Amino acid sequence: MTNDTTRDIVLIALFAAIMAVLGVFPPITLPLVGVPITAQSLGVMLAGGILGARRGALAMILFLALVAVGLPLLSGGRGGFAVFLGPSGGFLVGWIVAAFVVGLTIERLWSRLGHVNAFIACVFGGIIVLYAIGIPWIAFAAEISIAQAFVGSMPFIPGDLIKAVIASAVIVTVARSYPIIASP
Amino acid sequence: MLTSDYVPGDSIVHRARPLIKVGLLFLVCTWLFVQEGWPSSTIAGLILAALFAIARIPPTIIVAAIRPALWVLGLIFVAQLFLADWRFAGFVVLRFAVMILAASILTLTTRTSDLVDAIERALSRVLPARSAEAISLALSLCLRFIPRVRGIFEEVKNAQRARGLGTSWRALVTPTIVRALKSADEISRAITARSPETPAGRHVR
């Protein structure tokens, strides 16, 4: 193992661990729509935005592998293979692609990274791409149309936008004080 | 926090090889979609009930396994009542319940360590030794990082409170992540320094 791959492995393991710690926070329920918002999808945006596309996606794969083998690391103490086959399974698998796309977008915007750019990256990868994977699975497994599944997922959007605001602020601050993506 | 829901036992369901259970789960779930309808879901449900009985899983644990999905399943049932009829709504929810419980029986009757061992062994047969090693390292590092990250988070929270700062998400997450990254870099330097494969280690040897 070269020094670089050792560092990559350590960083991937760290963000998988950060995902697990974010799962401990009790979900906040939005007063208006009554949908629980968990801190974990914040971790998806952070992993991609701080580690970059490849390492961010690998951190998600590692975290989901630990969930799959039965550790109760998802918020609410859920874990095991069952969560992937439930209605929100598509969103979990989508975390891998979402972290990758957030990372890729941040890498592209790296030289002119600001709050607005980072927010766009988080919304694009962490919301649009994520829903584009999660919604078809609900539609397929629940035998409803894509449009109906989309309407059913709408209540989660306000919470996800709040998370994109928080994630982009953190990504920009970390990029300035302890950059990982550009460092050799 | 890091305990899985394993229910100890010595039934044939417990003793079956972990990867065979994973393979069967995959086959059953595929079958439920290929042959979709009441018959396949009912048959799978009955077989599953028999397996739960053989493995002597207490009913309370079975209920606990399905509970997190209940409100979404309820929502889907109501939606399908309007879109189709009660028969179809029942089938869709039954299939979800069967899939979730089929996956749960794997988790309930397999020790996490056995499943990890089985996956690592299977991967080492497919992947080069170096990649398999990297995966084991990542897995064990992650489990060690979880308490460490929680510790850093608690310290940051206390420090912010001592300074009279509110507990805004941003004020907590950013310092936690920066400190966690620094600690991760210390660990990678320590691993690199001790590894005999790197130039730094070679001249020590």
Side-chain angles (χ1 to χ4, degrees):
Chain A
M1 268 180 261
T2 66
N3 299 2
D4 279 351
T5 47
T6 303
R7 186 173 189 241
D8 286 348
I9 292 166
V10 173
L11 289 174
I12 289 161
L14 175 70
F15 269 80
I18 289 175
M19 286 294 286
V21 174
L22 286 171
V24 179
F25 295 102
I28 307 160
T29 307
L30 270 194
L32 225 68
V33 280
V35 166
I37 295 176
T38 68
Q40 247 159 0
S41 47
L42 180 69
V44 180
M45 299 173 188
L46 291 177
I50 292 172
L51 296 186
R54 209 180 113 259
R55 288 176 297 200
L58 286 170
M60 292 304 115
I61 293 176
L62 175 60
F63 175 72
L64 292 175
L66 289 171
V67 171
V69 296
L71 298 182
L73 298 178
L74 289 179
S75 69
R78 292 170 305 139
F81 261 90
V83 295
F84 295 95
L85 298 168
S88 54
F91 286 95
L92 297 182
V93 177
W95 282 355
I96 301 166
V97 186
F100 189 87
V101 174
V102 172
L104 199 67
T105 319
I106 295 278
E107 283 168 10
R108 289 284 145 83
L109 300 168
W110 190 250
S111 56
R112 50 205 152 89
L113 191 66
H115 285 97
V116 178
N117 282 344
F119 178 73
I120 291 169
C122 289
V123 170
F124 177 56
I127 301 179
I128 297 173
V129 171
L130 181 62
Y131 281 65
I133 297 165
I135 286 175
W137 164 247
I138 302 187
F140 172 67
E143 309 273 347
I144 52 180
S145 72
I146 297 271
Q148 287 155 348
F150 181 75
V151 172
S153 310
M154 284 307 283
F156 290 96
I157 302 269
D160 282 341
L161 286 172
I162 296 170
K163 277 176 268 183
V165 172
I166 299 170
S168 52
V170 175
I171 289 167
V172 171
T173 317
V174 173
R176 281 171 193 161
S177 56
Y178 203 87
I180 300 291
I181 290 177
S183 63
Chain B
M1 179 180 139
L2 283 183
T3 47
S4 82
D5 304 323
Y6 178 69
V7 178
D10 194 35
S11 69
I12 184 158
V13 189
H14 284 84
R15 278 180 282 124
R17 287 174 55 185
L19 286 189
I20 290 186
K21 291 190 233 184
V22 175
L24 283 174
L25 174 67
F26 180 74
L27 283 178
V28 168
C29 292
T30 312
W31 180 63
L32 288 174
F33 281 97
V34 175
Q35 292 284 327
E36 64 178 22
W38 273 102
S40 64
S41 298
T42 312
I43 293 167
L46 289 174
I47 295 172
L48 203 59
L51 290 176
F52 272 113
I54 293 168
R56 294 174 187 278
I57 308 284
T60 48
I61 290 180
I62 303 175
V63 174
I66 193 90
R67 191 179 292 141
L70 273 185
W71 71 273
V72 189
L73 292 188
L75 212 70
I76 291 171
F77 185 81
V78 173
Q80 285 294 1
L81 273 185
F82 284 103
L83 297 169
D85 55 11
W86 66 269
R87 289 170 59 95
F88 193 72
F91 147 67
V92 169
V93 170
L94 174 70
R95 181 171 63 186
F96 260 128
V98 167
M99 285 198 296
I100 290 168
L101 289 174
S104 300
I105 201 168
L106 165 73
T107 309
L108 291 170
T109 62
T110 316
R111 274 192 200 86
T112 298
S113 55
D114 291 345
L115 194 52
V116 171
D117 285 348
I119 292 170
E120 276 185 349
R121 245 179 288 126
L123 284 178
S124 66
R125 243 172 264 147
V126 192
L127 295 172
R130 196 166 271 204
S131 314
E133 226 170 76
I135 292 167
S136 319
L137 176 62
L139 281 170
S140 55
L141 273 175
C142 179
L143 296 179
R144 276 170 186 73
F145 270 136
I146 293 171
R148 197 174 180 126
V149 173
R150 285 185 82 177
I152 293 175
F153 181 79
E154 289 301 322
E155 280 169 29
V156 169
K157 201 164 76 178
N158 291 336
Q160 305 280 38
R161 203 173 287 155
R163 284 188 206 124
L165 293 173
T167 48
S168 88
W169 267 99
R170 200 189 151 184
L172 288 174
V173 175
T174 313
T176 303
I177 291 207
V178 171
R179 286 184 57 183
L181 286 171
K182 283 179 184 163
S183 139
D185 273 342
E186 275 162 31
I187 288 169
S188 32
R189 274 193 293 273
I191 295 172
T192 308
R194 282 175 204 167
S195 160
E197 283 170 42
T198 55
R202 202 171 286 152
H203 86 266
V204 173
R205 193 171 52 168

